[in-house]
Amino acid sequence: MTPFAGLKNALAAWRARRHQVPFTVLFKKFKSILERNNLLLELMADMGDKLGGEYVFDRQYILDSCDRLLDQLFKLISDLAVLSQRKNVDLFLAGERIQHQIREELAGRRAPGRSDTILALDRVANDLGDECGNKMANLGDIRNTLGLATPEGFVVTTGAYFAAVAPGGLRQRIARELAALLPGDEAGLKEAAARLRREILGLSLPRALSRAMTAAARDLAGPAGTLLAVRSSAWDEDTLSSFAGMYETRLGVRPEGLPDAYREVLASLFSEDALRYRLYRGLGGEEPAMAVGVLGLVDARVSGALYTYAPLPEHDQAMVVSAAWGLGKPVVDGTAETDTIVLHRDPPHAVLSRDICPKPQRMVADPAGGVRLEDTPPHLLAAPCLDEGQLARLAEAALTLERFFPRPLLVEWAFDHADRLVILQARPLPITPRDPQACP
């Protein structure tokens, strides 16, 4: 052994002895960890009992309990750091995130539990509603839990929205504008909507966010240059509050155009109709947030909408399908001539009525970007959009969705040129069956 090697080993041993924690200290920390863990469990159990409805408690009880929980949590993490003789930075950061989420909830502000700004649709499920909005969280469940075909895509999360509106105090200005809105004050509402939309459309997006979403969009478009659909997915959208048709959707977007399309969807959060509806639904005092779904635009041969439950006077167990050639936006907007088919809810989903009408135009993707209306080819003009097999597949998929969510739904769908059924969206219908057994 060289003199230098001997000196190195001696110094290493000296450092090890210097940082060694006495066993008595370690044992005390171990006991402390067990005690704190038991106390945390008792606190959570007590809060669970109160939540059961048999006890009366006030807001101060919640605040005090959360303070005690957070205090014991950080002390437990500190004890673990001593016991393991590591800094446990990740644990401390996790504790900070938990504390932030609880503080935000107690202050009446929803706090996304993840910091991701972009999430692949393959990773999205309903438990990520705060991060991805209800529309995209539902679509993630349709894809990943039910295994039904959906477009490929990703979500620009509500975390990205908050990062975009944080600079310059815009988030605080939005809160002040919304708090000042009064029911019936149309002039004030229009002025506020114009100011907020102008600010959002003029946003300078964080550079990292802009680069990340553009890179993800290029990957999604791939070598074929698939055009994109950029869709809103706000908090409270596609719930019983709905907000149906009030937020922006951009179709036929190229990857380099995604930042502008993203700003337009964010700005639609503050459209006059959306703000008016927020007041009507009693949501004026709640902070809004917008996630944005970026999906591959389906090359649809036929598309449309399906109501899984339609209590018609002559048919109480019916579902209704509306269909048109090409992309489905005109069907959903109510601007297209459509075939209307009424199906029985029970297999084999017999056709109860069928109204086939001429469909002089269809919406298609423009290879240069965007979408356009074109004349329907003569052989399709008065032809039915869907055959019996497609109707049966559509009905089966719709009832699968209804059983999963479970309530009557409006389902947006498309059949592509390979005859693949693709689910684009499913949102709850605010109707109640006459017969409680009519649907789940």
Side-chain angles (χ1 to χ4, degrees):
M1 178 183 295
T2 66
F4 288 107
L7 179 60
K8 180 180 178 181
N9 289 340
L11 287 172
W14 176 78
R15 282 196 297 268
R17 287 195 301 272
R18 183 184 177 191
H19 291 92
Q20 188 172 7
V21 179
F23 175 78
T24 53
V25 174
L26 294 177
F27 184 69
K28 287 180 180 178
K29 290 299 178 185
F30 176 69
K31 288 181 62 179
S32 175
I33 288 169
L34 295 179
E35 291 168 359
R36 294 191 195 284
N37 183 66
N38 288 337
L39 181 56
L40 285 165
L41 292 174
E42 289 171 5
L43 285 169
M44 289 188 289
D46 184 68
M47 295 180 78
D49 288 342
K50 298 293 191 298
L51 194 61
E54 297 181 5
Y55 300 90
V56 176
F57 61 93
D58 58 10
R59 177 178 172 79
Q60 192 59 47
Y61 166 79
I62 298 174
L63 294 174
D64 291 344
S65 297
C66 288
D67 283 342
R68 293 174 65 194
L69 279 168
L70 292 171
D71 177 61
Q72 292 300 320
L73 173 65
F74 279 100
K75 287 177 178 176
L76 187 148
I77 294 172
S78 298
D79 288 345
L80 278 172
V82 175
L83 185 64
S84 63
Q85 300 185 54
R86 295 178 182 175
K87 294 182 179 179
N88 285 341
V89 174
D90 289 342
L91 270 179
F92 278 107
L93 290 176
E96 289 285 354
R97 284 196 299 271
I98 293 169
Q99 182 183 50
H100 173 71
Q101 287 177 254
I102 291 175
R103 298 297 185 205
E104 290 292 288
E105 292 285 352
L106 291 175
R109 297 185 293 267
R110 290 161 70 174
R114 299 177 59 131
S115 59
D116 313 62
T117 56
I118 291 179
L119 283 172
L121 191 58
D122 287 340
R123 298 169 56 196
V124 173
N126 200 255
D127 61 347
L128 293 178
D130 281 351
E131 291 80 4
C132 299
N134 294 89
K135 182 188 292 182
M136 287 300 117
N138 288 346
L139 194 63
D141 266 341
I142 292 168
R143 178 185 182 88
N144 303 317
T145 304
L146 294 179
L148 298 175
T150 71
E152 302 291 333
F154 61 89
V155 181
V156 187
T157 66
T158 53
Y161 163 79
F162 287 124
V165 300
L170 178 54
R171 184 176 179 181
Q172 289 75 21
R173 291 199 297 280
I174 290 171
R176 287 196 297 270
E177 291 274 14
L178 296 183
L181 292 177
L182 297 173
D185 182 9
E186 280 295 306
L189 184 144
K190 290 180 179 180
E191 291 172 4
R195 281 193 298 268
L196 292 174
R197 286 177 56 80
R198 188 165 53 247
E199 290 220 53
I200 296 293
L201 291 172
L203 271 179
S204 179
L205 297 177
R207 185 175 302 176
L209 173 61
S210 185
R211 287 177 176 172
M213 71 167 68
T214 302
R218 289 195 176 111
D219 287 343
L220 179 59
T226 301
L227 296 175
L228 308 175
V230 183
R231 310 195 69 184
S232 65
S233 185
W235 284 348
D236 298 311
E237 186 179 6
D238 285 5
T239 62
L240 290 180
S241 294
S242 182
F243 287 91
M246 296 183 192
Y247 297 139
E248 185 71 26
T249 292
R250 289 286 309 279
L251 301 178
V253 176
R254 292 188 170 279
E256 61 273 16
L258 178 57
D260 285 340
Y262 175 71
R263 275 186 283 259
E264 289 183 24
V265 175
L266 293 193
S268 69
L269 192 59
F270 306 106
S271 70
E272 291 179 19
D273 285 343
L275 294 185
R276 192 176 295 112
Y277 188 71
R278 291 187 69 80
L279 288 175
Y280 170 75
R281 297 292 301 189
L283 300 172
E286 296 186 15
E287 183 175 32
M290 177 71 78
V292 175
V294 182
L295 308 171
L297 185 63
V298 177
D299 184 18
R301 183 174 185 270
V302 56
S303 50
L306 181 150
Y307 292 81
T308 64
Y309 178 72
L312 304 175
E314 63 275 24
H315 302 296
D316 189 48
Q317 292 295 305
M319 59 177 73
V320 177
V321 180
S322 298
W325 300 116
L327 300 173
K329 189 174 188 300
V331 179
V332 178
D333 292 346
T335 58
E337 298 291 337
T338 64
D339 294 347
T340 302
I341 305 100
V342 179
L343 302 175
H344 201 287
R345 284 173 51 85
D346 296 333
H349 309 296
V351 175
L352 301 175
S353 69
R354 193 189 318 250
D355 180 16
I356 308 300
C357 69
K359 298 166 283 291
Q361 290 189 312
R362 64 181 180 182
M363 179 175 282
V364 297
D366 189 330
V371 294
R372 57 184 170 83
L373 292 173
E374 66 176 21
D375 291 339
T376 303
H379 70 285
L380 297 177
L381 182 64
C385 292
L386 298 168
D387 61 31
E388 301 300 319
Q390 289 171 323
L391 285 169
R393 288 159 58 196
L394 187 55
E396 289 167 9
L399 290 182
T400 297
L401 292 169
E402 186 185 78
R403 286 190 293 270
F404 178 78
F405 278 104
R407 60 175 306 109
L409 300 170
L410 171 59
V411 181
E412 296 179 26
W413 53 269
F415 282 99
D416 64 15
H417 286 269
D419 199 35
R420 183 179 66 126
L421 173 59
V422 182
I423 304 300
L424 307 176
Q425 179 180 341
R427 67 171 179 260
L429 286 171
I431 59 175
T432 303
R434 297 175 194 156
D435 178 2
Q437 303 302 316
C439 61

